[in-house]
Amino acid sequence: RLRGWVNLRKTPPAERKISVMLYGFPPNVGAVGTAALLDVPNSLEQLLKRLHEEGYNVGDFATDPDAS
C-alpha cells in the first residue's frame, strides 16, 4: 500500500485518475447532487476549477448555470 501512495505522489496530476460522485435521491425526480443547506453545483464547480489549476485534466465544464 505504501508503494502505491509513493507512486501516486510521483505521478503528475494530469496523469492521475480521480472520480467525483454525486448522488440523486429520491431517484427519478431530478434531485442530483442535493444536500441540505449546501450549494452542491457551486461546490463542484469550485472543486473542478481548483483541480484544473493544480494541473489535473478535468476536461471541459460549463460555468454558466443555464448552459447545456
Side-chain angles (χ1 to χ4, degrees), residues 32-52:
V32 175
T34 59
L37 304 175
L38 299 176
D39 187 352
V40 175
N42 185 52
S43 295
L44 179 58
E45 179 182 345
Q46 297 305 315
L47 174 65
L48 291 173
K49 285 180 181 178
R50 176 73 183 266
L51 288 170
H52 178 73

